[in-house]
Structures are given as structure tokens and as C-alpha cells.
Amino acid sequence: MDMTRRSLLTALGVSAGAAAVAAPGFAAGSDMPGWQVGYANAPAAGFGPAEMDLISGRFPSGFAGSFYRNGPGWFQYGDDVLGHWFDGDGMVQRIAFDGGKAIHAGAFVQTNKHRSEQAAGRFRAAGFGSAGDPTFPIMSSDDVNAANTSVIMVNGELLALWEGGSPFALDAATLETKGPKVLRDDLKGMPFLAHPKIEPNGTIWNLGVAGSRVGVYKMAASGSVTDFQMIDIGKASYIHDWAMTERHLIIIAQPWIMTRNIPPFVNTLEWHPDEGLDLIIIEKDDFSNRRTVTVDAHAFYHTGAAWEDASGAIHVDLALYDQPFLGEGGATNLMKGEFDALEDQGLSRLSRVIIPARGPARIEKTHVDGEFPVVHPGFHGLERRLTALVGGSAPGRPGARRVSTMDWKTGVSRHFDYGLDRIPEEHLFVAKPGGRVEADAWLVGTVLNTRTQRSEVHIFDVADVSAGPVASFAARYAWPLGFHGTFAPA
């Protein structure tokens, strides 16, 4: 197993020589557009806790718990700007809902990268699109771990997730960093993706990706690793997300492929559309029982989820792009407060890949554009009908403008348009007490109000998203735009 761990870390490119000179930065001006606050440094000391203002609606009865989100929160030292938005130090937000109130707090994950760079007053670690400083000592993947992509609650402990290293454990109430989480002694420092999949019974599955080799984790609800196996998928595809059904794991290998080992990571990737989009279907009970199907080449970052129908056909819903988006140089201009609509390729299409038990697979694209597809956690991997996502665009600024739900059974989508002054982020399903179907739930999501320069949180009834939020809260400040989150019921 030590040889396995070493080979995975080597494939990940973790070595003292895997860095180069950082790109030059910029001088921030005073005439930044309102949306740029979403790409600006958060206070080093964090936020709150502070009560948010109820700005519309009425707090829904039965809605209680903590909404956590993670994303990059530090982008600039002096005149130097990060090489890629994806590389900002992780900052976890917590919005605690109780007794009709929403209390916000935010804290940086105290990684080695964050502490070292804050002390030095400059960027040092290499990342997805940031070359880093060649003198920065790298002994393991966790030395460059930004812990900035997602969060998951495991047995009462909050874990901040990245792509290429360990989860970082945080205190769920105070957001205090405990340190890297060792899932098992022989798996210390191994890659652990930011999109674990949780079965309704609490079983956790995840991948650790390095080159063409993929480690598959199976974990009990307690967080203990009950199985870990490695497979070789034959190509070093960029894999950020994947899918799971009740019986199968589906690794989706897009033709955005690592072809060389040079920093930063995005410079290793080449687009090979002639190779198509591969879906590797693995039986949960027997990893040797697997097959691969190929459909037309597309790029993607996120899946909603997957399920199997009575015929044995697998349905995988995901947000598909025609080609990679936010690759080399991704969002650097946004951190400078610059936006060129001609360069914005950020619209993807909610689609599903249907894989019959026998015969070729096919892609069906819906009329709904958007990103960050999510499903009801109580139906993950099971046959279901609803996916939620954010989409649309606004002239002159980045980001989405609406939240949507798609009913796969009827083909009907419902939308709420936040308008030109608000940028919505990922919205999550929260089950209503006693709810038995997917629509017995709320959607909760954060939004940046670019006009008031305040961050907001909105709660919808899933059954009628187009009616607008049932309750909306606003902080008295803004925090940076982020990636993914989780909701922990009270």
C-alpha cells in the first residue's frame, strides 16, 4: 500500500521541483465594478459571528440547521494576483438558522499554504493555475492544499475538501481548524476529491485521482474507511466530479487530458475531442466488473447525480460544455475587476447521458443552461425526478442570474430570476420535516448583491421555485464567491 500511495503522489506531481516563478500581479484601483467584491480578499481574521437582516418573507417553520459553504477567499498580496481563481485559500462560511434568525460566520482554513503565505506576505505554493515559488518546500500534497472547494459533515465533524490532498477537519460550531484528517494511516496525504457521494443510509464513496490511476474510497457514516481499491482508467483525464447509482460508480473521463508534468497543473492539460467522453461503469460489489461507454466529446465540471431505471438503464445528469471553461488563465481578469463578455464561455447545458443495459449510450440536452447541478440528498443514487441548478447570464458581469429546477419526468423547468444585480451561487436541497418526496423540501442558496455590496441567503420552496424566496436574509457586508457547500440539519 505504501508503494501505491507513493505512486499516486508522484503522479499528482508533488515534488520539490514542481514549482516555477509566479506571474506578475496588478495594482488594484478604486474604480472596481460592484461584482468584483466577490473576487476580493476577505478579512484575514474572518467574519462574525453576526446576525443577518431579514429583508423579505417569513422564516419557514421547521427550517433549522447550519448551511456551510467553501470557496477561495484570498487572491492578492500587494500588486500580485493569483494565477487562477481556483487557487485562493479556502474560506468556510457558516450560516446558522435557528429561531427565525440567520447568524453568519466565516473563517480561513488554517492550512500550511495559508499560514506560510500570510507570514511571507506573498504567494508561494503552486496550484491549479498558479505556478508558485520554486523555493517553497513541498514534502507532501498537503503542503500545497488550499482546502477551498467543498465541505462535508462526517460524524459531527466538518471537513473542508480540495482535490489533491487530505480533507481538513474543522470544528463545526466555531470553524476552528483542527488540521489534516488522516482517514487511514496508509492513506495519509492521498488525494480525496471534493465531491464525495453519500448514500441515503450514510455510506460515503469518493475518488482520489492522480494521472490515470484512481483510488476508490468506501467509508462508513462514522468516517472510517471500510475499503480502498485502485483502478487504472487508461487516461489521465481531469476529473473533478463523478456519479453514483444504487449499484454502480460512474467515473466520467473527459478528453481534457494531462499530457506532461509541468507547473501549474492546468498547463499539463490538453483538449483531445477525438477521444470522446468516456463513462466507466463499476459495480460497487465487484470493482473488476466494469465496462466503458463513449459518447461525443464534451467538457464538464459537475454532475447532478445518477440513477438506474427498471430496465437497468443508467441516467447521469450533468452540466456539459462544448469545450473546457476556466482553463489556463481562468478568472484572473475577474480578480482584477475586468470582464470581457466575448471571452465568457461559461454557459453549459443541463444534460443527461442515458446508458442502456446493452447498446450505445446517448446524450440528451435540455433547454436549461446552468451550472452547479444538485439533487435531494435523500434520493442520491436512487430513481428521482428533480435537479436544481443556477444559470443564465447578465451583460457586463460574470456569474449566473437565476435558480432553476428541472423535472426529468415531465420535462418542465421552473425558474426564479434574481436580476442583473445579484449573482447566485450553488443552491442546496434541504428536506422538510416528515417529507417523503423530493418536492417536500426547500432550496437554500447564497447570493452576492452587487448593488448593495452585501451577501445574502435565500430560501425557496422546491415545489414552486418560480414564486420566489419564502425568506431572504442579508449580511451587512460581502464575502467572496465560492464553490460548494452542505447543509447540516439541527
Side-chain angles (χ1 to χ4, degrees):
M1 182 62 72
D2 182 66
M3 180 64 72
T4 293
R5 175 175 177 269
R6 187 160 58 247
S7 61
L8 267 176
L9 295 177
T10 299
L12 185 68
V14 177
S15 67
V21 178
F26 70 99
S30 59
D31 56 349
M32 292 291 187
W35 54 260
Q36 198 273 337
V37 69
Y39 303 90
N41 289 351
F47 295 100
E51 184 174 346
M52 302 177 72
D53 298 325
L54 179 66
I55 56 175
S56 68
R58 180 177 297 178
F59 193 87
S61 176
F63 188 92
S66 291
F67 181 29
Y68 297 95
R69 284 189 51 75
N70 195 0
W74 197 273
F75 311 96
Q76 182 181 357
Y77 286 102
D79 292 337
D80 289 336
V81 64
L82 269 176
H84 202 293
W85 180 39
F86 290 0
D87 294 333
D89 291 336
M91 183 176 219
V92 174
Q93 317 291 339
R94 180 195 185 205
I95 303 168
F97 296 97
D98 185 36
K101 295 182 179 181
I103 309 295
H104 171 258
F108 279 102
V109 185
Q110 296 299 312
T111 63
N112 178 66
K113 172 187 182 303
H114 179 71
R115 294 194 309 268
S116 173
E117 292 179 342
Q118 287 284 303
R122 60 188 178 91
F123 296 114
R124 303 186 68 203
F128 182 85
S130 301
D133 180 345
T135 67
F136 182 60
I138 303 173
M139 303 305 294
S140 79
S141 57
D142 287 333
D143 288 325
V144 295
N145 192 335
N148 68 357
T149 311
S150 191
V151 280
I152 183 176
M153 187 73 77
V154 179
N155 197 26
E157 188 172 59
L158 189 66
L159 302 180
L161 308 180
W162 187 51
E163 299 282 63
S166 305
F168 264 73
L170 280 71
D171 185 288
T174 66
L175 303 182
E176 180 181 358
T177 301
K178 299 178 181 179
K181 181 75 172 181
V182 179
L183 299 175
R184 204 170 69 183
D185 288 344
D186 60 330
L187 301 176
K188 184 178 181 180
M190 290 280 278
F192 190 84
L193 284 192
H195 286 284
K197 308 301 177 186
I198 306 176
E199 296 182 2
N201 67 6
T203 300
I204 303 166
W205 296 83
N206 202 11
L207 307 180
V209 180
S212 66
R213 309 192 75 189
V214 178
V216 181
Y217 296 83
K218 182 180 181 182
M219 301 167 61
S222 65
S224 63
V225 177
T226 58
D227 194 12
F228 178 85
Q229 297 185 41
M230 290 205 333
I231 62 173
D232 195 318
I233 63 171
K235 64 172 68 173
S237 295
Y238 173 63
I239 298 175
H240 171 69
D241 200 357
W242 58 291
M244 176 192 75
T245 72
E246 193 171 14
R247 296 173 48 234
H248 293 95
L249 311 174
I250 302 107
I251 299 175
I252 309 168
Q254 60 189 318
W256 201 20
I257 299 170
M258 186 172 69
T259 59
R260 53 195 183 277
N261 189 19
I262 59 172
F265 178 76
V266 71
N267 287 353
T268 73
L269 300 171
E270 292 183 358
W271 179 240
H272 291 268
D274 54 305
E275 297 193 21
L277 180 70
D278 291 340
L279 295 95
I280 301 106
I281 304 153
I282 304 167
E283 190 173 313
K284 283 180 175 178
D285 293 334
D286 181 4
F287 287 6
S288 67
N289 188 359
R290 57 183 186 260
R291 64 188 175 110
T292 300
V293 299
T294 304
V295 294
D296 290 342
H298 287 81
F300 83 104
Y301 283 107
H302 301 113
T303 70
W307 75 98
E308 299 179 43
D309 63 26
S311 73
I314 296 173
H315 302 245
V316 185
D317 53 296
L318 64 173
L320 290 180
Y321 298 84
D322 290 335
Q323 60 188 10
F325 168 65
L326 282 180
E328 186 173 357
T332 300
N333 285 341
L334 300 183
M335 293 182 281
K336 298 179 182 180
E338 301 169 359
F339 177 72
D340 185 346
L342 296 177
E343 296 178 357
D344 180 25
Q345 305 172 40
L347 289 181
S348 57
R349 187 71 56 182
L350 180 62
S351 309
R352 62 178 171 178
V353 180
I354 300 177
I355 308 167
R358 293 179 178 81
R362 67 185 188 275
I363 297 175
E364 294 184 353
K365 294 187 178 183
T366 74
H367 58 282
V368 180
D369 66 75
E371 250 293 1
F372 300 113
V374 297
V375 304
H376 191 301
F379 293 82
H380 202 123
L382 306 179
E383 189 164 357
R384 57 176 174 79
R385 56 191 298 173
L386 294 177
T387 298
L389 70 164
V390 295
S393 61
R397 69 155 174 84
R401 62 178 290 172
R402 66 168 181 256
V403 61
S404 305
T405 56
M406 177 69 189
D407 188 321
W408 295 100
K409 184 174 182 178
T410 65
V412 173
S413 58
R414 299 178 183 274
H415 313 274
F416 176 76
D417 194 328
Y418 279 105
L420 300 181
D421 293 331
R422 286 184 168 95
I423 301 176
E425 303 182 278
E426 176 189 70
H427 285 45
L428 299 182
F429 283 79
V430 177
K432 293 182 179 179
R436 295 181 177 273
V437 299
E438 293 169 85
D440 288 338
W442 295 285
L443 275 182
V444 58
T446 45
V447 168
L448 173 63
N449 189 319
T450 63
R451 179 179 54 84
T452 65
Q453 299 277 282
R454 300 169 74 180
S455 292
E456 303 171 349
V457 60
H458 299 264
I459 305 168
F460 294 80
D461 193 315
V462 169
D464 193 5
V465 166
S466 57
V470 298
S472 299
F473 295 84
R476 299 183 182 182
Y477 45 82
W479 58 78
L481 293 166
F483 297 136
H484 303 292
T486 191
F487 191 89

